[in-house]
Amino acid sequence: QKGLDALDEECVEEIVQVETKYVARRRPLYAQRTAVLATISEFWVTVFLNHGTLKTYLLEEDCEVLKHCTQLTVTENDDIKSGYKIELTFNNTNPYFSNECL
């Protein structure tokens, strides 16, 4: 069993290295996509309302707030095994709160 555990751990470490490499390679493509999506009015509220599960949790008030969302960013932690951070960025005409980013 020790041999299998060691081999599994080695496998996980190699997968993490490959994932980390490709996360970095995807960043410029995500930046290009973000620039295009920012030009589409109310893009993110439309995405959330068209998601089968998420739409069941959204109230009308949530949708009014999300109309001001201009960007959704997912950032992998440096140690990708430990997770990621999701940030919502809002335009400066958002009357609901003063934070630009949540």
Side-chain angles (χ1 to χ4, degrees):
Q1 186 63 41
K2 286 183 182 182
L4 286 175
D5 290 343
L7 189 57
D8 287 344
E9 183 59 32
E10 183 181 335
C11 177
V12 167
E13 289 304 317
E14 286 188 35
I15 290 170
V16 168
Q17 289 174 5
V18 170
E19 282 288 331
T20 301
K21 173 184 171 184
Y22 283 92
V23 163
R25 291 180 66 184
R26 288 183 190 112
R27 282 189 189 117
L29 299 173
Y30 288 146
Q32 289 174 350
R33 182 173 67 183
T34 295
V36 171
L37 296 182
T39 67
I40 302 171
S41 178
E42 299 181 6
F43 176 80
W44 287 108
V45 70
T46 303
V47 168
F48 290 133
L49 287 173
N50 284 297
H51 186 279
T53 303
L54 289 178
K55 71 180 177 185
T56 63
Y57 295 104
L58 293 176
L59 302 174
E60 187 173 329
E61 294 85 359
D62 300 323
C63 294
E64 289 302 314
V65 171
L66 287 170
K67 286 180 181 179
H68 296 276
C69 181
T70 58
Q71 184 174 339
L72 185 147
T73 306
V74 178
T75 306
E76 300 278 348
N77 292 340
D78 289 337
D79 172 10
I80 66 171
K81 291 191 289 185
S82 66
Y84 51 89
K85 174 175 65 171
I86 300 173
E87 293 180 315
L88 298 172
T89 304
F90 295 86
N91 61 31
N92 57 5
T93 62
N94 172 16
Y96 299 100
F97 44 84
S98 59
N99 304 56
E100 180 184 348
C101 190
L102 300 176

